[in-house]
Amino acid sequence: MLRTDIANPAYFHKVVDCQWACPAHTPVPEYIRLIAQRRYGDAYMVNWVSNVFPGILGRTCDRPCEPACRRGRVEESNLKHPEPVAICRLKRVAADMKEDVHARMPRPAPSNGRRVACIGAGPASLTVARDLAPLGYAVTVFDAEGRAGGFIRTQIPRFRLPESVIDEEVGYVLDLGVEFRGNERVESMKALLAQDWDAVFVGCGAPRGRDLQLPGRHEAAANIHIGIDWLASVSFGHVTQIGRRVIVLGGGNTAMDCCRSARRLGGADVKVIVRSGFDEMKASPWEKEDAEREGIPIINFHVPKAFVHEGDKLVGMRFEVVRAEYDARGRRTLVPTGEPEVFFECDDVLVAVGQENAFPWIERDCGIDFDEWGLPVLDKATFQSSVPHVFFGGDAAFGPKNIITAVAHGHEAAVSIDRLLEGEPLAERPPPMTNLISQKMGIHEWSYDNDTSADMRFQVPWAQAERALASIKVEVELGFDAATAFQEAGRCLNCDVQTVFQEKACIECDACVDICPMDCISFTENGDEADLRTRLKAPALNLAQSLYVSGGLKTGRVMVKDEDVCLHCGLCAERCPTGAWDMQKFLLKTAQAGASRTAATEEAAA
């Protein structure tokens, strides 16, 4: 293997698994350390730069960072159910405990004379506005609703996300000088393009819930509701009650929001019924746990066959019982078990079997190409459509995802819009800003806490069930207090503090090999990667994690470090008699709109 190029920003970025997994690449260990130091405002701003909505995401994020967390891997041999650091809930701590940060928000730059229209006031559009407004762009956000937030405001129940949090974080964006035109639905893309906008961003989400056309659907229509539309009606106060017996169809997070909302609006007998197995449901594991915790059963492997009605009154549903069979490629087929159909009584049904994009307002002859699934044809890196100055992002781009993905799309689209209007090539993306800073404070002292906590994951307290289930607006999760947040932050392994090796200083004494608690370090003959992985002190079996390979040492051997389960404890650097090892903090900030010009200005000033 060749010597590892640690100057390549992607190398150590991939070692910080949580940040690599986050679509917006939030510097997770950096803000967790700040929380441990009770610097909540600083932790909030680190988040805000990357993900724009720390308080919202701290309550609702799909948490792609947590399955990637190294903590879960290093505990596999010690715990039956190893758990990652509560990254998402610590983000909420930063939001809940921060001081007033209004003065730390960017200020709009003088107008550059360019106008950008954002269609839809959801997270993708608001991220575009957040990135472009401080650069002098006149950004106008259109939305059919009277208040900004998009599906954050209309689809997520208040018991998960208080409206005050939405108002605060949406307000930070609008306060940048963004014009919000609420209650103004864009009815025609042609008409919009005729208004001479310099760029248009479409972030209108996936606003149409899929229906389920089964026998009885038309006759019992009054008590069959599309999940996302019903949630919006609940959010706006148009719906305040539901029948006592409720069936929720679907296995995603929307279905979980529907069943828990129904529980609070009078549904005494609420059940979720899904076609798939429990483990195959698209809902996040914690969403399923929360529903079950509130007494809502999840019945799997039941395929809906008919809505049963008496006249125009819904009385129940019939289901076919199936089982899953898998072929040699792992593809699943649902096969009837032959058991009699199952009948469940109900007064209302909430259909939450998926969402799809709907662009009735975009004329098909306006120049924007769509694929066979009705999605816009986009460049996946730049989010540019077939009309050069029209961009898409969020659920409107590639179909329904989540808030943090929409934020990531917004950042990238803003970069593209800025580069297009500055006459720069869109395909050339500005590089991230990175640095490596030694954490050495003394011979055996570091500027970070390298003691590895043995604590298991701390549980977030909940409101009392009687109180929480009595109101649709009582927040269920209460969040960590300061003491618990400090302890949970201590579980972080500081994966951004890297072990940096200088082979010229190494005398091959093997002290680092002896002291390493995870057997990560080996000195051995070089070879092909597949061979080398098997010859280490502990075989490196996770191919997704790179090997850190040095150049040739005096004996001809190389140092090989498996990055997979390293604790970043610094013992190798403490034990090394020559200083060949050092602990250096790697900080990556993804480039946002205007980054190339900012870097050029700073370089000229230097």
Side-chain angles (χ1 to χ4, degrees):
M1 293 186 69
L2 298 176
R3 183 181 190 274
T4 299
D5 180 13
I6 63 172
N8 180 353
Y11 179 74
F12 282 137
H13 186 195
K14 289 179 71 175
V15 174
V16 190
D17 299 82
C18 50
Q19 184 176 20
W20 178 258
C22 173
H25 302 305
T26 304
V28 174
E30 176 77 359
Y31 81 73
I32 289 179
R33 271 193 303 274
L34 292 169
I35 289 171
Q37 298 167 22
R38 293 179 171 82
R39 294 168 57 187
Y40 304 118
D42 291 340
Y44 185 86
M45 293 308 298
V46 167
N47 270 282
W48 188 83
V49 168
S50 296
N51 59 53
V52 189
F53 307 105
I56 293 169
L57 286 165
R59 291 165 166 83
T60 64
C61 189
D62 277 7
R63 314 181 199 177
C65 54
E66 292 191 10
C69 177
R70 189 185 311 274
R71 182 86 194 196
R73 296 202 299 279
V74 301
E75 287 184 344
E76 280 182 353
S77 59
N78 302 322
L79 296 174
K80 185 176 181 180
H81 299 293
E83 290 196 274
V85 175
I87 298 170
C88 180
R89 294 321 184 231
L90 287 173
K91 192 189 313 291
R92 173 178 170 172
V93 168
D96 287 356
M97 299 188 182
K98 69 183 184 306
E99 67 276 13
D100 186 354
V101 295
H102 280 89
R104 302 179 66 171
M105 294 293 166
R107 295 288 179 266
S111 174
N112 60 17
R114 291 168 178 147
R115 301 166 62 240
V116 177
C118 293
I119 314 305
S125 288
L126 292 174
T127 300
V128 171
R130 168 255 179 275
D131 286 358
L132 294 182
L135 301 177
Y137 289 91
V139 181
T140 301
V141 179
F142 296 86
D143 200 272
E145 303 298 341
R147 302 173 73 185
F151 277 20
I152 291 176
R153 191 179 293 278
T154 62
Q155 305 302 323
I156 301 175
R158 296 291 81 85
F159 60 82
R160 289 183 59 206
L161 178 61
E163 198 153 30
S164 60
V165 179
I166 304 173
D167 291 342
E168 177 190 355
E169 297 197 325
V170 168
Y172 289 144
V173 177
L174 299 183
D175 288 347
L176 298 174
V178 176
E179 180 186 4
F180 174 60
R181 290 165 67 168
N183 296 315
E184 190 168 338
R185 183 186 297 274
V186 175
E187 301 285 359
S188 167
M189 177 61 86
K190 278 186 174 180
L192 188 74
L193 295 178
Q195 296 175 21
D196 295 326
W197 296 96
D198 294 289
V200 173
F201 176 79
V202 180
C204 58
R208 187 166 61 194
R210 291 198 180 104
D211 204 346
L212 205 55
Q213 295 300 333
L214 297 173
R217 175 67 179 90
H218 175 72
E219 292 83 350
N223 294 95
I224 301 170
H225 318 279
I226 302 301
I228 61 170
D229 297 337
W230 183 81
L231 286 171
S233 296
V234 172
S235 177
F236 291 124
H238 304 321
V239 169
T240 58
Q241 61 184 12
I242 198 167
R244 192 182 69 83
R245 301 168 300 178
V246 181
I247 290 175
V248 178
L249 301 176
N253 286 339
T254 298
M256 299 303 102
D257 285 341
C258 283
C259 71
R260 297 179 69 196
S261 296
R263 187 80 169 79
R264 288 160 169 79
L265 295 182
D269 177 10
V270 180
K271 54 177 66 71
V272 177
I273 304 180
V274 294
R275 295 164 49 94
S276 67
F278 183 85
D279 293 336
E280 297 169 313
M281 291 171 61
K282 293 183 179 180
S284 304
W286 49 90
E287 300 286 359
K288 294 186 286 187
E289 291 170 9
D290 290 350
E292 291 185 315
R293 182 172 178 172
E294 293 182 350
I296 300 169
I298 297 175
I299 301 168
N300 58 2
F301 289 127
H302 279 58
V303 176
K305 302 301 291 184
F307 299 100
V308 181
H309 58 95
E310 295 176 358
D312 60 357
K313 181 182 179 184
L314 178 71
V315 296
M317 286 194 70
R318 288 191 288 108
F319 295 84
E320 181 180 47
V321 182
V322 297
R323 68 176 185 272
E325 291 187 357
Y326 298 88
D327 63 17
R329 295 184 179 180
R331 292 176 298 190
R332 186 195 70 177
T333 302
L334 296 177
V335 179
T337 63
E339 300 174 49
E341 286 189 344
V342 178
F343 174 76
F344 290 105
E345 295 181 337
C346 66
D347 302 305
D348 287 279
V349 173
L350 301 175
V351 181
V353 293
Q355 295 167 226
E356 54 192 8
N357 294 73
F359 302 102
W361 55 279
I362 300 181
E363 298 87 351
R364 291 309 188 258
D365 61 349
C366 73
I368 297 174
D369 294 335
F370 289 84
D371 63 20
E372 58 186 302
W373 297 283
L375 292 170
V377 177
L378 306 174
D379 183 294
K380 291 187 177 181
T382 66
F383 297 89
Q384 186 180 42
S385 74
S386 51
V387 174
H389 69 295
V390 176
F391 299 81
F392 286 72
D395 292 354
F398 305 116
K401 294 291 184 183
N402 50 46
I403 299 171
I404 192 64
T405 299
V407 169
H409 289 184
H411 284 314
E412 290 298 330
V415 170
S416 297
I417 292 169
D418 182 55
R419 292 182 73 79
L420 175 75
L421 300 184
E422 287 293 323
E424 299 171 336
L426 270 64
E428 296 178 13
R429 314 304 282 179
M433 295 169 280
T434 63
N435 58 24
L436 277 167
I437 302 173
S438 176
Q439 301 301 289
K440 189 171 290 185
M441 298 286 287
I443 298 176
H444 293 142
E445 291 183 287
W446 310 107
S447 62
Y448 74 104
D449 183 3
N450 67 328
D451 185 27
T452 304
S453 168
D455 289 334
M456 291 186 288
R457 181 170 168 138
F458 291 87
Q459 298 301 309
V460 178
W462 274 36
Q464 289 185 346
E466 297 81 6
R467 180 170 176 267
L469 293 175
S471 171
I472 197 74
K473 294 186 177 181
V474 171
E475 189 170 13
V476 175
E477 287 195 9
L478 303 180
F480 289 137
D481 58 22
T484 309
F486 176 81
Q487 291 176 290
E488 183 62 35
R491 298 182 68 241
C492 178
L493 297 175
N494 299 292
C495 295
D496 60 340
V497 181
Q498 307 297 341
T499 50
V500 176
F501 182 74
Q502 299 293 333
E503 60 258 27
K504 291 182 179 180
C506 180
I507 59 174
E508 301 182 64
C509 66
D510 281 0
C512 55
V513 177
D514 295 338
I515 197 69
C516 178
M518 301 302 291
D519 293 332
C520 292
I521 302 169
S522 302
F523 287 83
T524 185
E525 300 298 322
N526 207 337
D528 293 336
E529 182 175 355
D531 167 58
L532 197 56
R533 282 182 175 274
T534 65
R535 291 193 285 106
L536 305 181
K537 188 173 182 183
L541 304 179
N542 182 3
L543 302 183
Q545 276 284 358
S546 300
L547 296 178
Y548 184 3
V549 182
S550 74
L553 298 167
K554 295 180 177 64
T555 62
R557 299 186 301 171
V558 291
M559 184 286 303
V560 183
K561 175 173 175 282
D562 177 13
E563 301 281 17
D564 187 41
V565 292
C566 175
L567 296 177
H568 296 249
C569 61
L571 291 176
C572 53
E574 291 181 11
R575 188 71 175 269
C576 181
T578 65
W581 288 102
D582 191 17
M583 303 304 295
Q584 298 185 10
K585 185 173 76 170
F586 172 80
L587 183 62
L588 179 140
K589 294 182 180 179
T590 52
Q592 295 180 350
S596 56
R597 296 194 301 284
T598 301
T601 301
E602 291 176 350
E603 185 176 343

